[in-house]
Amino acid sequence: MSESHTTNAEKPLLAATGRGLECRAGNFVIDPYRKTRVSVITHAHADHAKAVADIYYAAESSVPLLKKRLGENLDIRGIPFGQPFTLGDTNVTFHPAGHVLGSAQVRVEHNQDVWVFTGDFKRDPDPSCEAFELVPCNTFITEATFALPVYRWQPGGEVAEEIYRWWQSMKATGRTCVLFCYALGKAQRVLAELTRFTDETVYLHGAVAPLTDIYRQAGINMLPTEKIDLRKKDNDFTGKLIIAPPGASGSSWMRRFPKAVTGFCSGWMRIRGNRRRRGYDRGFVLSDHADWHGLLKTIEQTGASQVLTTHGQANALIRLLQEQGINAKELVTQYGGEEDTDDTPATDNSNNGDD
Ligand SMILES: [Zn+2]
């Protein structure tokens, strides 16, 4: 492994360029942000999946989400997890990243040199998507969204129980709970985790409903849901739980729910001041990314001698890895981590029915 590692430094198999994570030997770009012929897509979040390529390769289970977000008529080719395919001089395989439905790590092999890009990933169990799979490699390119020791997650089931208790206590006082969650992944994870506590219907913002339908069609078990129809004036949401994208917070859409209390589900809620600054009544620490311990454990288990980080404050992680003798550095990319930036339009399309 150390021999191929020397050549890595001269001619990296994957390099961060102005187009994305580019593979010259395979003539493709992973998660491109500029015009590209052949792309390989890790998952359907907006900072990774952009409509800029002629051909898209993606994990099979992410194809309905990608079509919904990028366009039904694009050339999107679904490949089952674990099934190798050839691009240029490389062999490429998708492996589950455990981040959202269909999210993939990309394994690229060329002349016995193996690189893995995680995309976004997490290690914690999540009933709404495929479980993370460890993939040994020489070079590991990892996201580092929460790369500080303060970021440690509780199990999702415990957080769901907190959400359930909050909902029930607010119901007892005649309030409506509006829980802000990213529309793709987080919302469906909450709906799946809550099945352990209730079978009550949850009401969805128009941006969350179609993505939830895709999850349901994929066989994910979630609470029953109903899309909020803003045309119905006599709806009473007292005692109900509503899930909406963060962009709807503070918007005119919220006027429909005068008795609402608000909550926000995010890894960023681990930092106490964030909830207050963003004006939510409650914060729930639930993340779709690996925490500090998850990052360290995963890096060690891959056996990689070179570790490159994307989209995060990775200085502490890089220093620690260097002390352990690992060749670690940061790659500059445009991947933001959807917990950083809301990638969901705040508008509710339920009036024009085009979603
Ligand atoms: Zn993501």
Side-chain angles (χ1 to χ4, degrees), residues 43 45 99 120 338:
H43 66 289
H45 278 143
H99 172 61
D120 294 339
E338 65 293 336

Side-chain angles (χ1 to χ4, degrees), residues 42-48 99-100 103 119-121 143 145 184 288-289 311 336-339 343:
T42 60
H43 66 289
H45 278 143
D47 57 328
H48 290 264
H99 172 61
V100 298
S103 64
D120 294 339
F121 80 101
E143 65 130 319
T145 307
L184 169 55
D288 294 336
H289 296 264
H311 59 336
E338 65 293 336
E339 299 212 348
D343 67 355

